[in-house]
């Protein structure tokens, strides 16, 4: 059977650039949040509540947009996602400018902020999952993992350069980070709008969509893995700053500065792993990443030394840089190309649930004891490691072909 043509580099690069825009926006959020609070006069809790609404909508938007992409094509979904990113941040900039002039009350300011984040959550939630689905449906199997890694690398690169660019823009304008996120998506939006949907290739014709029950039977085994990895990550991230201060008696300023250094170092390591190591890594070594995840998190509460969190964050980042693209690729292999959106959407939903659960538990567990969230993260990582090992031992289902 003829295989699908390899997607051109410019196609994958454009999708990766869209992921980088999303990652940059997520990272820059922490930079412009104090500017937003100072300009609007809203409390931190009220601002965070609006941002939480936008994040929660990813649980609805990611699987929904993936299904829409399966029906109408991925390019329209990606265009809507990038347009939503740009428009929501333009609205955020306009809100900040209006609030600085004193023309808005506190309630009106919050509702405007919440509306911009609702628009963000309902649209941008389709960006990564639709990009992954487009890769899964377009790129030949031998090249698919490499393309997925480039998308993950784009997201990582955006998160790395976001704080740097946002800080640099402060020298140009006090609201520079807001201008940055309001304008950064437009060039990528234009490039995405020019992408051409590939014609149906042989694998689309030869494979029929799976019945829903059969599809869920193939995908359900990946959901606990996706949930557990993100739950472990979130439990560590949500308490990291406070844990450093409590563990070593550091001031909040020192803890924040150290955490920033650890995140940057871990991000650089993850980017290098995604671009260089994983494409050359034999699949039989992927379960070892689960063991690295468990050991890296456990090192933090077990070893009372300032080097422990550095090693823990770097190890955790490297493990996830291997695990997430690997199981995403593995899930894509068991589903026909025409249903790739259901794969990426369901995994994105499991990620969102895991991260949301970790947000709900982290603070409460930290009040019981600073190490408690980390030990639950170790348990979540162990579940993910076991699930990854089991997946590696199961034979992969083939596409269902028309006889």
């Amino acid at each position: 059977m003829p295989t699908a043509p390899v997607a051109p580099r410019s196609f994958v690069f454009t999708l990766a650039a869209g992921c980088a825009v999303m990652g940059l926006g997520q990272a820059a959020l922490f930079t412009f949040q104090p500017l937003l609070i100072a300009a609007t006069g809203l409390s931190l809790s009220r601002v965070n509540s609006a941002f939480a609404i936008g994040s929660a909508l990813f649980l609805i938007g990611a699987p929904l947009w993936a299904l829409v992409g399966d029906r109408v094509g991925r390019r329209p979904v990606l265009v809507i996602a990038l347009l939503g990113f740009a428009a929501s941040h333009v609205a955020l900039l306009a809100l900040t400018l209006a609030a600085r002039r004193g023309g808005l009350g506190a309630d009106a300011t919050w509702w405007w902020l919440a509306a911009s984040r609702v628009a963000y959550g309902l649209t941008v939630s389709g960006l990564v999952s639709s990009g992954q689905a487009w890769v899964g449906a377009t790129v030949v199997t031998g090249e698919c993992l490499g393309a997925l890694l480039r998308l993950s690398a784009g997201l990582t690169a955006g998160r790395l350069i976001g704080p740097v660019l946002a800080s640099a823009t402060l020298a140009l304008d006090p609201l520079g980070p807001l201008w940055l996120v309001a304008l950064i998506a437009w060039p990528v939006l234009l490039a995405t709008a020019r992408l051409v949907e590939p014609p149906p290739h042989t694998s689309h014709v030869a494979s029929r969509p799976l019945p829903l029950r059969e599809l869920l039977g193939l995908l359900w085994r990946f959901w606990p893995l996706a949930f557990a990895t993100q739950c472990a990550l979130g439990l560590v991230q949500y308490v990291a700053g406070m844990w450093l201060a409590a563990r070593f008696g550091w001031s909040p300023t020192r803890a924040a500065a150290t955490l920033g250094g650890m995140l940057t170092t871990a991000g650089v390591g993850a980017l290098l792993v995604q671009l260089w190591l994983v494409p050359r890594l034999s699949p039989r070594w992927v379960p070892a990443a689960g063991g690295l995840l468990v050991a890296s998190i456990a090192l933090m509460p077990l070893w009372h030394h300032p080097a422990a969190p550095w090693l823990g964050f770097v190890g955790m980042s490297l493990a996830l840089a291997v695990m997430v693209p690997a199981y995403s690729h593995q899930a894509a292999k068991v589903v026909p190309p025409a249903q790739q959106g259901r794969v990426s959407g369901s995994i994105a939903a499991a990620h969102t649930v895991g991260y949301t659960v970790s947000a709900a538990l982290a603070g409460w567990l930290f009040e019981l004891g600073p190490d408690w969230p980390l030990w639950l993260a170790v348990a979540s990582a162990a579940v993910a490691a076991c699930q990854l090992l089991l997946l590696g031992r199961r034979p992969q289902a083939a596409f269902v072909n028309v006889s």
Side-chain angles (χ1 to χ4, degrees):
M1 179 186 296
T3 58
V6 178
R9 289 182 180 272
S10 59
F11 166 78
V12 178
F13 177 80
T14 302
L15 298 184
C19 293
V21 165
M22 180 176 169
L24 185 148
Q26 291 173 338
L29 172 68
F30 298 106
T31 304
F32 68 67
Q33 189 180 57
L35 303 175
L36 191 63
I37 292 172
T40 61
L42 296 176
S43 65
L44 176 62
S45 61
R46 294 201 76 184
V47 169
N48 281 346
S49 66
F51 284 122
I53 292 172
S55 298
L57 289 173
F58 270 63
L59 181 59
I60 301 172
L64 179 61
W65 282 118
L67 293 175
V68 171
D70 281 346
R71 292 179 178 273
V72 305
R74 278 88 190 190
R75 185 182 64 174
V77 175
L78 289 168
V79 168
I80 290 171
L82 289 166
L83 186 61
F85 181 98
S88 63
H89 286 100
V90 167
L92 204 59
L93 174 63
L95 166 63
T96 307
L97 293 172
R100 290 179 71 185
R101 295 189 180 96
L104 292 173
D107 289 339
T109 300
W110 186 86
W111 281 108
W112 189 337
L113 174 62
S116 72
R117 300 315 292 177
V118 167
Y120 175 90
L122 289 178
T123 56
V124 182
S125 55
L127 201 157
V128 174
S129 60
S130 294
Q132 291 173 336
W134 205 353
V135 164
T138 305
V139 179
V140 0
T141 301
E143 300 288 334
C144 187
L145 179 57
L148 288 173
L149 284 169
R150 290 181 180 90
L151 264 60
S152 295
L155 194 63
T156 301
R159 289 168 177 165
L160 280 175
I161 66 175
V164 176
L165 291 179
S167 299
T169 59
L170 288 172
L172 303 175
D173 187 277
L175 298 181
L178 285 166
W179 283 103
L180 173 68
V181 293
L183 300 176
I184 195 67
W186 295 103
V188 183
L189 172 61
L190 294 177
T192 303
R194 296 177 62 186
L195 290 177
V196 178
E197 292 274 356
H201 52 70
T202 325
S203 63
H204 282 80
V205 176
S207 61
R208 63 175 174 82
L210 296 175
L212 180 60
R213 185 173 182 178
E214 189 174 349
L215 180 69
L216 295 179
L218 290 172
L219 291 181
W220 73 267
R221 66 191 67 173
F222 297 95
W223 298 336
L225 175 55
F227 170 87
T229 54
Q230 294 305 301
C231 189
L233 174 65
L235 284 165
V236 175
Q237 287 185 334
Y238 276 113
V239 302
M242 298 170 62
W243 181 84
L244 287 171
R247 179 76 162 182
F248 302 109
W250 292 345
S251 66
T253 302
R254 182 179 179 184
T258 303
L259 179 59
M262 290 191 300
L263 290 173
T264 300
T265 304
V268 170
L271 185 60
L272 293 175
V273 164
Q274 288 169 340
L275 292 177
W276 180 78
L277 177 61
V278 177
R280 298 167 173 81
L281 191 67
S282 171
R284 68 175 180 270
W285 289 104
V286 172
L292 176 60
L293 182 65
V294 175
S296 299
I297 301 175
L299 181 66
M300 296 171 64
L302 287 175
W303 188 27
H304 199 293
H305 191 279
W310 284 89
L311 294 174
F313 262 82
V314 171
M316 180 176 66
S317 182
L318 298 183
L320 292 175
V322 173
M323 292 171 65
V324 176
Y327 66 67
S328 298
H329 175 56
Q330 196 173 8
K333 287 168 59 179
V334 303
V335 174
Q339 293 178 302
Q340 288 298 309
R342 289 163 174 79
V343 178
S344 55
S346 64
I347 289 179
H351 283 164
T352 301
V353 173
Y355 212 71
T356 302
V357 168
S358 69
L361 294 177
W364 173 67
L365 289 172
F366 186 84
E367 292 178 358
L368 298 178
D371 289 342
W372 281 43
L374 299 183
W375 285 120
L376 182 58
V378 171
S380 297
V383 170
C386 292
Q387 186 72 8
L388 196 64
L389 187 62
L390 290 174
L391 283 176
R393 293 178 176 176
R394 290 173 179 169
Q396 291 299 306
F399 294 156
V400 179
N401 294 328
V402 178
S403 56

